[in-house]
């Protein structure tokens, strides 16, 4: 049996490594959004129009949001080992509210480039923040009750699809489960991009999964994670094959085997369907089961990104958007034209049909990730040297 402090150290390192990989891959999707020639006009997952490289470029980033939400819940459980239920609940609620505020202000500007906030966007940070608030409110409930609620949401939320097919739904319903744009005033709208209910179920399950890392020996934990991950993938294949439940859109036979496979794997992310979560969380659980702390330089570098995910998320977004604005102006557009935007498009400094090849997108992605490393390294060191500063736990 290994000492508890060794288990704690290895656990944290494996989580930081996985989160670091998630952050790096996430930047690829955002780079594609800003720079790819089809970023604003095409669907990279449409089997009728995509290419294998484009499909992979988009699909691999599906692991990012569910992985980050799941690990956020898992991290909340780890915090519960050193905090009381009351203090942890208060922290989760206050940090959740902070993330929602940042999403509506800092990230809405970073995403749209609109200094007048013609559209407020509720996306990744909002869904995490709302889920944290729910977890904070439920934290005093027995473990089995929280687990049951998470499983109920995970397996049952797609029942809401049947009601949504009947027509428009209320705004409160959209906040829970259906993306929409709703007017706030004559000049302002709210884009509910990430309805939070399914993400909340995933965070609750991540919280419950944390128990495996504190109450179970490494070998038993590895077996449980591996079996659960494999079971999730087998369940995905079996249920997806029926086209009965778990995803609002069925897969269909296409012109060739590859296109049919693309259709089969094209599961809904907004909001994440049951099958989407099985297809993404399954491999992540397998990764956590099999990963070993090698202590290699590459592992240490990737882990740096994983230790400062909030910082990375905000800064890399602004670097990408600033570079996209420069590229937009370099193509002959004026500053006034960029500020005006395009009719029907929520983003400023963007023109449908303009952009670069996937090769250039990958080059920009790698460059931004490399730029982020010294920034993340510095901030990680700053947080380590100033643990007494309470406000750093919100950043």
């Amino acid at each position: 049996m290994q000492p508890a402090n060794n288990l704690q150290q290895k656990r944290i390192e494996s989580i930081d490594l996985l989160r670091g990989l998630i952050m790096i891959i996430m930047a690829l999707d955002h780079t594609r959004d800003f720079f790819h020639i089809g970023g604003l006009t095409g669907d990279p997952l449409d089997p009728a129009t995509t290419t294998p490289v484009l499909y992979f470029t988009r699909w691999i980033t599906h692991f990012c949001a569910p992985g980050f939400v799941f690990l956020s819940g898992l991290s909340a459980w780890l915090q519960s080992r050193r905090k009381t239920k009351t203090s942890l609940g208060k922290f989760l609620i206050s940090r959740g509210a902070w993330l929602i505020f940042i999403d509506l202000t800092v990230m809405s500007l970073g995403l749209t480039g609109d200094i007048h906030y013609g559209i407020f966007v509720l996306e990744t940070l909002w869904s995490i923040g709302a889920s944290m608030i729910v977890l904070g409110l439920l934290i005093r409930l027995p473990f089995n009750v929280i687990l049951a609620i998470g499983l109920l949401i995970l397996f049952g939320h797609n029942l809401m699809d049947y009601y949504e097919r009947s027509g428009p739904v209320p705004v409160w319903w959209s906040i829970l489960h259906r993306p929409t744009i709703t007017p706030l005033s004559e000049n302002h709208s709210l884009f509910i991009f990430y309805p939070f209910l399914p993400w909340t179920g995933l965070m609750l399950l991540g919280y419950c999964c944390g128990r495996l890392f504190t109450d179970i020996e490494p070998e038993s934990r590895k077996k449980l994670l591996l079996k659960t991950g494999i079971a999730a993938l087998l369940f995905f294949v079996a249920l997806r094959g029926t086209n009965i439940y778990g995803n609002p859109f069925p897969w269909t036979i296409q012109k060739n085997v590859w296109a049919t496979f693309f259709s089969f794997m094209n599961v809904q992310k907004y909001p994440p369907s049951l099958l989407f979560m099985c297809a993404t969380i399954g491999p992540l659980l397998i990764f956590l089961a099999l990963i070993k702390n090698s202590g290699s330089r590459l592992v240490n570098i990737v882990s740096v990104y994983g230790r400062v995910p909030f910082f990375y998320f905000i800064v890399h977004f602004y670097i990408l958007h600033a570079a996209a604005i420069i590229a937009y102006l370099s193509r002959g557009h004026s500053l006034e034209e960029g500020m005006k935007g395009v009719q029907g498009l929520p983003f400023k400094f963007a023109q449908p049909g303009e952009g670069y090849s996937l090769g250039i997108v990958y080059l920009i992605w790698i460059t931004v990730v490399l730029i982020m490393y010294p920034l993340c390294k510095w901030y990680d060191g700053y947080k380590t040297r100033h643990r007494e500063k309470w406000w750093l736990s919100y950043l």
Side-chain angles (χ1 to χ4, degrees):
M1 180 182 296
Q2 292 177 298
N5 59 338
N6 287 341
L7 293 176
Q8 176 83 351
Q9 181 67 18
K10 287 189 177 183
R11 183 192 71 243
I12 292 175
E13 289 173 349
S14 64
I15 292 173
D16 284 342
L17 174 59
L18 177 55
R19 189 182 283 120
L21 289 172
I22 287 171
M23 304 310 290
I24 291 172
I25 295 171
M26 174 192 65
L28 174 60
D29 195 38
H30 297 158
T31 306
R32 183 190 59 79
D33 286 335
F34 280 122
F35 290 97
H36 188 232
I37 192 169
L40 296 176
T41 57
D43 179 4
L45 299 179
D46 184 350
T49 58
T50 192
T51 64
V53 175
L54 178 59
Y55 189 95
F56 171 81
T57 300
R58 172 54 176 151
W59 207 98
I60 193 175
T61 63
H62 276 350
F63 291 105
C64 299
F68 195 75
V69 172
F70 186 81
L71 292 179
S72 295
L74 197 157
S75 297
W77 173 270
L78 299 181
Q79 291 183 61
S80 72
R81 302 297 89 185
R82 60 181 185 271
K83 292 182 178 180
T84 66
K85 296 289 186 181
T86 299
S87 63
L88 179 58
K90 289 180 179 178
F91 172 73
L92 290 172
I93 292 171
S94 59
R95 189 163 195 264
W98 168 248
L99 291 179
I100 293 172
F101 172 77
I102 292 297
D103 216 18
L104 287 170
T105 55
V106 178
M107 287 309 300
S108 286
L109 175 61
L111 180 64
T112 66
D114 183 3
I115 61 174
H116 302 293
Y117 287 95
I119 186 165
F120 295 94
V121 185
L122 293 176
E123 44 112 26
T124 309
L125 294 184
W126 134 262
S127 64
I128 295 173
S131 299
M132 280 186 174
I133 291 174
V134 174
L135 178 57
L137 294 172
L138 299 179
I139 204 76
R140 290 177 173 272
L141 294 177
F143 175 88
N144 289 338
V145 174
I146 296 176
L147 176 60
I149 294 173
L151 289 172
L152 178 64
I153 294 173
L154 175 70
F155 286 97
H157 78 88
N158 279 121
L159 291 172
M160 301 171 73
D161 298 338
Y162 298 102
Y163 174 73
E164 292 169 4
R165 294 171 186 168
S166 63
V169 297
V171 173
W172 64 264
W173 183 287
S174 292
I175 290 174
L176 289 175
H177 200 256
R178 184 175 180 175
T180 191
I181 298 178
T182 183
L184 299 176
S185 66
E186 183 178 351
N187 298 314
H188 301 280
S189 299
L190 178 67
F191 184 12
I192 305 169
F193 192 29
Y194 272 64
F196 78 88
L197 181 62
W199 299 111
T200 297
L202 190 57
M203 182 172 289
L204 297 180
L205 294 178
Y207 174 81
C208 294
C209 183
R211 193 170 190 172
L212 300 181
F213 289 82
T214 58
D215 299 359
I216 297 180
E217 289 300 312
E219 283 304 313
S220 298
R221 178 176 69 242
K222 174 182 175 180
K223 291 178 182 178
L224 279 171
L225 289 172
L226 188 60
K227 288 179 180 178
T228 306
I230 294 173
L233 291 179
L234 294 176
F235 179 77
F236 162 77
V237 173
L239 186 59
R240 182 60 167 160
T242 67
N243 265 339
I244 294 175
Y245 181 74
N247 201 76
F249 306 108
W251 65 278
T252 58
I253 300 295
Q254 301 290 317
K255 58 186 177 182
N256 56 48
V257 173
W258 275 111
T260 299
F261 175 75
F262 292 160
S263 177
F264 188 86
M265 296 300 299
N266 187 13
V267 283
Q268 180 175 276
K269 180 182 179 181
Y270 309 108
S273 66
L274 166 62
L275 290 174
F276 175 92
M277 289 191 277
C278 288
T280 52
I281 293 300
L284 294 180
L285 292 177
I286 294 173
F287 179 90
L288 283 174
L290 300 181
I291 189 64
K292 295 181 179 179
N293 177 33
S294 66
S296 69
R297 179 171 175 77
L298 180 60
V299 168
N300 292 334
I301 289 174
V302 173
S303 296
V304 168
Y305 297 110
R307 289 195 289 269
V308 290
F310 182 77
F311 175 85
Y312 177 99
F313 185 81
I314 299 291
V315 176
H316 99 284
F317 225 108
Y318 273 82
I319 290 176
L320 280 172
H321 206 160
I325 291 174
I326 293 172
Y328 175 86
L329 296 176
S330 71
R331 293 196 294 268
H333 298 287
S334 67
L335 189 64
E336 181 181 5
E337 185 181 1
M339 290 293 294
K340 183 179 179 182
V342 177
Q343 183 72 26
L345 193 68
F347 313 112
K348 306 298 182 182
F349 299 98
Q351 183 67 41
E354 293 187 357
Y356 307 96
S357 67
L358 270 182
I360 298 298
V361 167
Y362 272 81
L363 181 62
I364 296 172
W365 165 56
I366 293 171
T367 301
V368 170
V369 170
L370 292 176
I371 290 173
M372 285 300 304
Y373 179 74
L375 300 177
C376 292
K377 183 76 172 177
W378 165 81
Y379 186 63
D380 180 40
Y382 181 83
K383 289 185 69 175
T384 301
R385 294 189 301 271
H386 297 86
R387 296 184 184 275
E388 75 283 357
K389 298 183 184 295
W390 63 269
W391 50 270
L392 285 174
S393 62
Y394 287 82
L395 302 176

